[in-house]
Amino acid sequence: MIRVLLAEDQAMVRQGLKMMIETDKEIQVTAEAVNGKEAVELCGNHTFDLVIMDIRMPVMDGLEATRIILSRRPETKVLILTTFNDDEYALEALKSGSRGYLLKDADTSELIRSIRSCLEGGLVLEDQVAANILPKLMNHNAPEEVDESLTPRELDIICRIGEGRSNREISEELALSVGTVKNHISIILDKLELRDRTQIAIYAIRHGLV
Amino acid sequence: MIRVLLAEDQAMVRQGLKMMIETDKEIQVTAEAVNGKEAVELCGNHTFDLVIMDIRMPVMDGLEATRIILSRRPETKVLILTTFNDDEYALEALKSGSRGYLLKDADTSELIRSIRSCLEGGLVLEDQVAANILPKLMNHNAPEEVDESLTPRELDIICRIGEGRSNREISEELALSVGTVKNHISIILDKLELRDRTQIAIYAIRHGLV
DNA sequence: AACTCAATATGACGGAGGTCATGTTTTTGG
DNA sequence: CCAAAAACATGACCTCCGTCATATTGAGTT
């Protein structure tokens, strides 16, 4: 038996959802909440396999409630429920640790399929939503190409600066003199048109070298 | 009419797929290729709405073929076809610009649904695959929580260090004396248990403050 | 009223960072 | 094989960074 907590402020939507969900004999809505705060409290006192959480609710919204619940009971699966096919929300919903994103206009079979997929470890994502957020996530760590005039040695040193090492530490790790490390850094600063090691560290991280 | 190019080296799979696809009267397999190279050549001479591309093929694999085709005809949709629910491939497939990821054991209705969703701009992703790759993409910019003992002023200065500013620049931007900026930095270093401004910059980026 | 804390300031001090000039040794490519 | 580039080294020099001690102001608390 799958125990579901339904967190949704609109009684009508809640009722409709409950009926749709309980079409499946193995799934039961064992509790309902009208806002995020109630949902958090219920999760403190009871155990649920799945929480279906509306994103817009009074008192405490669904994303914050999700974060709190997962920080206390990480094994709980949370599916975010929303009206809009809004990729901004989708990203936030995923960052908060939810296991997916249900649209309110989904039909019963779609709903059941999503719930079961989620409980089996899947992440439920509309194709349209996926098309919007994946490129964002990929571009975000898009490794802009590194200046190709950099030598292997210089790249190595850039990495170490990006890890927060001092010149002394770098010189010891590479069995060089401190002066040599400084020389390399001077050349790096020149090639990359930067001013100091801090900017090198930023460069290193932004270009995915660390 | 939707024109599909089928790139798959195994004749049997190709035949089966073709029959499943053409269940839908609006979709037609107008060409077939037995490896990536053939697929690329066919795309040069003809126009297709969709390419279904096996990932493992002789001569040229599906990922490389995808990259070449998309560099020449970016409007083409490519769906990658594979046997395994392998997230390593999935990431590569998405990076290559494909619009999703079909499993060979999908049934006919699933297949048709995926094709149509893809042509409508969707990104087709198994829930299990999504569950594997999304955390990877998100962890990269995982906003570990920032030390809460930091004051607003200190956070501000941390951000500016994370942008590569010198003490002098920061003091001018905030209308402070250089000494005050240094004082703040000393306190920041103490609170975060760091050693120098470079490590502060790294902290700022890793915690999503910049 | 007494207290705490954030924010500001000053000046002195030592050390790390970065520049420059110069030179040697290896690697590598034509 | 020779020339160019990369890697390594030294020492002098100056600047910027960060520490420390000390102090003032204003906001909020008890």
Side-chain angles (χ1 to χ4, degrees):
Chain A
M1 176 62 71
I2 300 167
R3 290 153 302 177
V4 174
L5 166 62
L6 210 51
E8 160 66 55
D9 58 323
Q10 296 167 279
M12 199 176 297
V13 176
R14 207 168 58 238
Q15 196 54 36
L17 253 175
K18 181 173 176 177
M19 290 189 62
M20 285 167 81
I21 291 172
E22 294 187 340
T23 299
D24 188 319
K25 293 297 176 211
E26 287 185 18
I27 311 180
Q28 195 170 3
V29 175
T30 56
E32 300 178 26
V34 300
N35 62 52
K37 194 156 168 288
E38 266 192 38
V40 170
E41 286 162 4
L42 281 165
C43 283
N45 304 327
H46 305 79
T47 301
F48 302 99
D49 301 301
L50 176 72
V51 180
I52 295 182
M53 179 83 76
D54 191 10
I55 203 164
R56 292 195 195 215
M57 286 188 292
V59 188
M60 181 189 288
D61 73 36
L63 297 180
E64 192 178 350
T66 301
R67 278 187 283 268
I68 297 174
I69 289 170
L70 290 178
S71 71
R72 298 184 188 160
R73 306 218 175 193
E75 75 283 3
T76 311
K77 315 279 188 195
V78 180
L79 279 177
I80 296 287
L81 182 68
T82 183
T83 316
F84 316 108
N85 197 325
D86 183 341
D87 55 333
E88 195 52 48
Y89 276 140
L91 247 184
E92 286 305 313
L94 294 176
K95 279 186 193 164
S96 74
S98 73
R99 307 296 311 223
Y101 191 73
L102 290 178
L103 297 180
K104 285 188 184 174
D105 61 6
D107 60 29
T108 302
S109 66
E110 180 71 18
L111 188 67
I112 302 285
R113 199 189 63 75
S114 296
I115 291 175
R116 291 199 166 273
S117 167
C118 170
L119 288 168
E120 285 161 14
L123 199 153
V124 180
L125 217 44
E126 285 285 313
D127 292 353
Q128 297 293 334
V129 179
N132 274 327
I133 66 172
L134 271 168
K136 282 189 185 178
L137 286 173
M138 311 249 280
N139 281 338
H140 195 275
N141 53 356
E144 263 183 62
E145 60 187 40
V146 176
D147 189 315
E148 52 189 54
S149 72
L150 293 168
T151 67
R153 196 49 137 184
E154 287 160 359
L155 280 171
D156 190 358
I157 289 177
I158 290 174
C159 289
R160 289 167 203 270
I161 292 174
E163 285 162 353
R165 307 251 197 293
S166 68
N167 286 346
R168 169 135 305 278
E169 287 169 338
I170 294 173
S171 74
E172 284 166 2
E173 289 164 9
L174 300 180
L176 301 176
S177 76
V178 178
T180 301
V181 175
K182 289 184 181 182
N183 283 340
H184 284 304
I185 290 175
S186 287
I187 296 171
I188 292 167
L189 292 172
D190 193 45
K191 284 183 180 176
L192 300 182
E193 296 181 347
L194 299 176
R195 202 204 306 146
D196 54 46
R197 71 191 301 98
T198 302
Q199 295 187 347
I200 294 179
I202 295 168
Y203 180 97
I205 297 176
R206 294 268 180 242
H207 289 72
L209 299 175
V210 279
Chain B
M1 177 61 70
I2 299 168
R3 290 153 302 177
V4 175
L5 166 61
L6 209 50
E8 159 67 55
D9 58 322
Q10 295 168 281
M12 199 177 297
V13 176
R14 207 168 59 238
Q15 195 57 36
L17 252 174
K18 181 174 177 176
M19 289 189 63
M20 285 168 78
I21 290 171
E22 295 187 338
T23 299
D24 189 319
K25 293 298 176 210
E26 287 184 17
I27 311 180
Q28 194 169 2
V29 176
T30 57
E32 299 176 28
V34 300
N35 62 52
K37 193 155 169 288
E38 265 191 40
V40 170
E41 287 162 3
L42 280 165
C43 283
N45 304 327
H46 304 80
T47 301
F48 302 100
D49 301 299
L50 175 72
V51 180
I52 295 181
M53 181 84 76
D54 191 9
I55 203 164
R56 291 195 196 216
M57 286 187 293
V59 187
M60 181 190 291
D61 73 35
L63 297 181
E64 191 177 352
T66 300
R67 277 187 283 269
I68 297 173
I69 290 170
L70 290 178
S71 71
R72 297 182 188 163
R73 306 217 174 192
E75 75 284 2
T76 310
K77 316 278 188 195
V78 179
L79 279 177
I80 297 288
L81 181 69
T82 182
T83 316
F84 314 110
N85 197 328
D86 183 340
D87 55 333
E88 195 52 47
Y89 276 140
L91 248 184
E92 286 305 312
L94 293 177
K95 280 185 192 164
S96 74
S98 74
R99 308 295 312 219
Y101 192 72
L102 290 178
L103 297 180
K104 285 188 183 173
D105 62 7
D107 60 28
T108 302
S109 66
E110 180 71 17
L111 188 66
I112 302 285
R113 200 189 63 74
S114 297
I115 291 175
R116 291 198 167 272
S117 167
C118 170
L119 288 168
E120 284 161 14
L123 200 154
V124 180
L125 217 45
E126 284 285 312
D127 293 352
Q128 296 293 335
V129 178
N132 274 328
I133 66 172
L134 271 167
K136 284 190 184 176
L137 289 173
M138 314 250 282
N139 276 344
H140 201 274
N141 53 351
E144 267 181 61
E145 62 187 37
V146 176
D147 190 314
E148 50 189 55
S149 72
L150 292 167
T151 67
R153 194 51 136 185
E154 286 160 1
L155 281 170
D156 191 359
I157 289 178
I158 291 174
C159 289
R160 289 167 203 271
I161 292 175
E163 285 163 352
R165 308 254 196 290
S166 68
N167 287 347
R168 167 137 305 280
E169 286 168 337
I170 294 174
S171 74
E172 284 166 3
E173 289 164 11
L174 300 179
L176 300 177
S177 77
V178 178
T180 301
V181 175
K182 289 184 182 182
N183 284 340
H184 284 304
I185 290 175
S186 286
I187 296 171
I188 292 167
L189 291 171
D190 193 46
K191 285 183 180 176
L192 300 183
E193 296 180 346
L194 299 176
R195 203 201 312 143
D196 53 45
R197 70 193 298 97
T198 302
Q199 295 186 347
I200 294 180
I202 296 167
Y203 180 97
I205 297 175
R206 294 269 180 242
H207 289 72
L209 299 175
V210 280

